[in-house]
């Protein structure tokens, strides 16, 4: 069965602190994709990153970095030197390649609400 | 570049009424998805189209729900005989299908449905 668990419901930090959002997934497929999305207070989901199961290289994009570890089925997201504008709900999602007709539906975690205080 | 658009943004209806939502995906995207999101939860998959063909439906999609994508462009989601439990944000997303892989989905702003 497919499942994504984001155990941290809410995190509160002070600006400039580093913060890591945890994501643990379950899948029986060998080929799958992992995603992170940001949902700011305005409500629209914003795509942040896509990673396939064969690429375990960590990625850095500005203040954002992602750590993918297949051995622990985790895909964690770190924000360095957090800013107030980072305040949002962050979702981790899983998509199994499956057959052609399965089309890449996303299975989302419950989200982590990040609050960055000035 | 125009993103995914949804109409209306908000809909208030009385229990038992029918409602219809529209989604216009990014023009070159052949895949279109509908999700439902309730407060404090992640989006849940409802259904998916590849061009005009509806290829997958979730068990969440009861027989009161129907979706179409008649010409492989825009899509509509209709809920018949609405119930209070249908109150949620309905999200549409689109992506460019690729052989042997999965691209990211781009989401619209959503339609917030309130059933009184």
């Amino acid at each position: 069965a497919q499942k994504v668990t984001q155990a941290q419901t809410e995190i509160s930090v002070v600006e400039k602190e580093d913060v890591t959002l945890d994501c643990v997934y379950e899948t029986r497929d060998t080929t799958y994709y992992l995603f992170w999305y940001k949902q700011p207070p305005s409500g629209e989901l914003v795509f942040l990153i896509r990673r396939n199961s064969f690429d375990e290289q960590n990625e850095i994009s500005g203040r954002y970095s992602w750590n993918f570890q297949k051995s622990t089925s985790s895909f964690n997201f770190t924000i360095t030197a957090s800013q107030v504008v980072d305040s949002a709900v962050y979702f981790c999602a899983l998509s199994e390649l499956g057959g052609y007709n399965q089309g890449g539906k996303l299975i989302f975690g419950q989200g982590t609400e990040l609050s960055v205080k000035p | 570049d125009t993103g995914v658009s949804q109409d209306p943004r908000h809909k208030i209806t009385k229990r038992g009424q029918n409602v219809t939502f529209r989604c216009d995906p990014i023009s070159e995207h052949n895949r279109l998805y509908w999700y439902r999101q309730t407060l404090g939860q992640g989006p849940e998959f409802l259904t998916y189209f590849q061009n005009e063909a509806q290829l997958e439906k979730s068990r969440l999609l009861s027989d009161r729900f129907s979706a179409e994508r008649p010409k492989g462009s825009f899509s509509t989601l209709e809920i018949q005989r609405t119930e209070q439990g249908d109150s949620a944000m309905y999200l549409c997303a689109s992506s460019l299908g690729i052989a042997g892989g999965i691209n990211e989905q781009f989401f619209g702003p959503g339609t917030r449905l309130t059933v009184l």
Side-chain angles (χ1 to χ4, degrees):
Chain A
Q2 313 162 45
K3 187 178 180 183
V4 176
T5 302
Q6 295 181 254
Q8 304 149 309
T9 306
E10 298 178 14
I11 299 177
S12 182
V13 299
V14 176
E15 209 169 17
K16 297 184 184 174
E17 281 185 30
D18 298 348
V19 58
T20 295
L21 310 182
D22 297 333
C23 172
V24 174
Y25 62 92
E26 293 176 32
T27 177
R28 281 180 255 180
D29 272 22
T30 56
T31 304
Y32 53 89
Y33 288 73
L34 296 164
F35 302 80
W36 276 93
Y37 282 84
K38 174 182 181 180
Q39 190 171 41
S42 59
E44 194 157 336
L45 280 157
V46 176
F47 165 75
L48 296 178
I49 189 171
R50 175 187 64 147
R51 174 66 75 222
N52 77 51
S53 53
F54 298 107
D55 182 2
E56 286 193 73
Q57 270 196 322
N58 292 331
E59 179 150 341
I60 298 175
S61 176
R63 297 184 297 107
Y64 295 172
S65 62
W66 291 269
N67 181 292
F68 176 29
Q69 291 196 342
K70 283 177 79 170
S71 60
T72 55
S73 297
S74 65
F75 186 44
N76 296 338
F77 173 31
T78 297
I79 301 175
T80 302
S82 59
Q83 299 176 3
V84 173
V85 292
D86 295 327
S87 296
V89 181
Y90 290 86
F91 291 98
C92 180
L94 163 71
S95 185
E96 295 173 343
L97 184 59
Y100 180 74
N101 284 350
Q102 290 193 288
K105 70 184 178 194
L106 294 172
I107 305 299
F108 284 87
Q110 289 200 302
T112 297
E113 183 171 5
L114 174 65
S115 176
V116 181
K117 301 186 187 313
Chain B
D1 183 26
T2 306
V4 179
S5 62
Q6 293 187 245
D7 183 69
R9 296 290 305 276
H10 303 273
K11 179 71 177 179
I12 300 174
T13 191
K14 291 182 179 178
R15 189 177 53 183
Q17 298 294 304
N18 300 344
V19 295
T20 300
F21 310 141
R22 177 183 170 119
C23 170
D24 287 89
I26 293 172
S27 57
E28 62 268 26
H29 286 180
N30 54 351
R31 292 184 173 178
L32 187 148
Y33 306 80
W34 286 98
Y35 294 84
R36 181 171 68 189
Q37 185 178 24
T38 53
L39 200 61
Q41 303 294 317
E44 295 175 296
F45 169 76
L46 292 178
T47 190
Y48 142 68
F49 290 85
Q50 171 94 3
N51 300 311
E52 67 276 5
Q54 187 175 20
L55 296 184
E56 191 176 355
K57 292 194 288 187
S58 162
R59 288 170 293 140
L60 291 175
L61 212 66
S62 77
D63 55 6
R64 296 184 298 104
F65 287 69
S66 62
E68 293 183 339
R69 194 183 183 196
K71 297 181 181 177
S73 56
F74 73 92
S75 175
T76 57
L77 177 69
E78 181 183 17
I79 308 175
Q80 296 183 324
R81 306 181 304 281
T82 53
E83 302 172 355
Q84 288 185 324
D86 296 331
S87 295
M89 178 75 87
Y90 290 84
L91 298 168
C92 177
S94 70
S95 74
L96 186 62
I98 53 172
I102 298 172
N103 266 333
E104 59 270 23
Q105 295 176 26
F106 294 90
F107 282 80
T111 295
R112 181 167 297 284
L113 173 66
T114 302
V115 182
L116 302 175

